[in-house]
Amino acid sequence: MLKTKLTQLNQELSRHEAYQALNSVTSVRTFMEYHIYAVWDFMSLLKSLQQHLTCVDVPWIESKQDPEVVRFINEIVIGEESDLDPEGNAVSHYSLYLKAMEEVGADTSRIKQFIETQDLSLIPDGARQFVEYNLEIAKNGSDVEVASAFLYGREKLIPDMFTAIKDVMSSEKVDCPTLIYYLERHIELDGDEHGPLAEKCLQALCGDDAAKWQSAEDIAVESLKLRSRLWDAVLAAINEKREKAA
């Protein structure tokens, strides 16, 4: 089974040194300056799934997918693209994350320049390879490939990572309500709702087709390897800043 084969990779990733390095506000800022690109390209995978699995064409034709899968995709699009902020205003999670970055003093100039220009060379090494891979999957991958990258590169990893960051900000008594709200929202959604539904989505797409499961496994393994390289880049950047400060 795919889940069994990926257990070791997931466990290794969950023990990455970058998690232990997230022990100060400065390190969290650095993390966010890299992770924002993953927040952004997550939407490309999601929108690709929406194109693959629901109908966004005119005239409308009902999707052939399981209605529960269609509902899941539409629900997560609503949540990610137009969730409610702490004041009850509609906002995308990308914009919410940018606001949280500014709240804790992280640099947002580089990601904003990238969004304006779409120049991939502006993305830091480590993050760039991750983004390039996911954009390629989003644009040219099959529905199974996109769903696998979406599930194993993203949804299954989020709760533990965000819980660690939340603990740091709480222990240092940092006043960052937007960030805490964002973290709690994703811990709730990804752990309790989106993660299990994303897994169900992949199961529905693969069924009993061994070739599809193999394709899902290949994408999942590569997604986890690239996520690990992203954490490598985060760790290197954190250590570099610590050395300069010393």
Side-chain angles (χ1 to χ4, degrees):
M1 281 293 292
L2 174 62
K3 186 184 297 186
T4 303
K5 291 181 178 180
L6 294 177
T7 297
Q8 183 177 353
L9 279 173
N10 272 297
Q11 289 177 343
E12 290 175 359
L13 197 55
S14 69
R15 295 192 296 267
H16 196 286
E17 288 182 51
Y19 284 78
Q20 285 70 51
L22 292 173
N23 54 16
S24 69
V25 177
T26 300
S27 63
V28 169
R29 288 186 190 124
T30 302
F31 167 83
M32 295 181 77
E33 289 165 7
Y34 277 75
H35 183 247
I36 182 62
Y37 296 98
V39 174
W40 175 80
D41 83 350
F42 171 87
M43 287 303 301
S44 292
L45 287 172
L46 177 57
K47 284 297 184 178
S48 180
L49 280 176
Q50 190 179 31
Q51 290 176 350
H52 279 278
L53 305 180
T54 76
C55 181
V56 292
D57 298 322
V58 177
W60 176 81
I61 299 175
E62 187 168 24
S63 171
K64 295 179 181 179
Q65 298 296 330
D66 183 332
E68 286 194 29
V69 172
V70 174
R71 181 180 178 85
F72 159 64
I73 297 300
N74 286 331
E75 281 185 347
I76 197 169
V77 168
I78 290 173
E80 293 290 337
E81 201 167 33
S82 55
D83 203 1
L84 298 179
D85 68 11
E87 289 74 43
N89 302 308
V91 65
S92 72
H93 281 190
Y94 167 77
S95 291
L96 197 62
Y97 198 91
L98 275 181
K99 183 177 179 181
M101 288 179 70
E102 293 168 348
E103 187 177 70
V104 300
D107 182 11
T108 61
S109 61
R110 196 166 183 176
I111 179 64
K112 289 179 179 178
Q113 186 180 5
F114 164 69
I115 294 299
E116 289 178 3
T117 63
Q118 294 294 295
D119 181 357
L120 291 170
S121 69
L122 294 172
I123 303 177
D125 288 340
R128 183 168 64 249
Q129 289 86 344
F130 186 77
V131 170
E132 287 174 340
Y133 179 76
N134 285 306
L135 288 180
E136 175 62 24
I137 294 295
K139 290 177 180 178
N140 301 311
S142 67
D143 51 0
V144 168
E145 291 173 332
V146 178
S148 183
F150 183 81
L151 170 60
Y152 289 101
R154 306 305 180 93
E155 294 295 346
K156 290 181 73 64
L157 300 172
I158 295 299
D160 290 343
M161 176 181 67
F162 281 0
T163 298
I165 296 174
K166 181 183 172 185
D167 289 345
V168 169
M169 305 312 278
S170 176
S171 66
E172 296 212 5
K173 297 181 172 57
V174 180
D175 184 22
C176 52
T178 304
L179 176 58
I180 296 301
Y181 176 82
Y182 178 94
L183 297 175
E184 290 179 342
R185 186 76 175 122
H186 274 268
I187 291 168
E188 172 192 357
L189 288 175
D190 299 332
D192 299 335
E193 299 177 32
H194 291 173
L197 286 173
E199 201 158 3
K200 185 175 182 179
C201 174
L202 185 62
Q203 290 170 348
L205 292 173
C206 291
D208 297 322
D209 191 319
K212 288 183 178 180
W213 279 113
Q214 185 60 56
S215 177
E217 180 183 333
D218 292 343
I219 293 296
V221 167
E222 188 63 21
S223 294
L224 290 172
K225 287 180 178 178
L226 286 167
R227 174 67 79 162
S228 183
R229 290 179 200 166
L230 173 59
W231 288 170
D232 289 343
V234 169
L235 180 62
I238 290 172
N239 288 336
E240 182 181 357
K241 287 186 179 181
R242 282 178 179 165
E243 289 173 3
K244 288 182 178 178

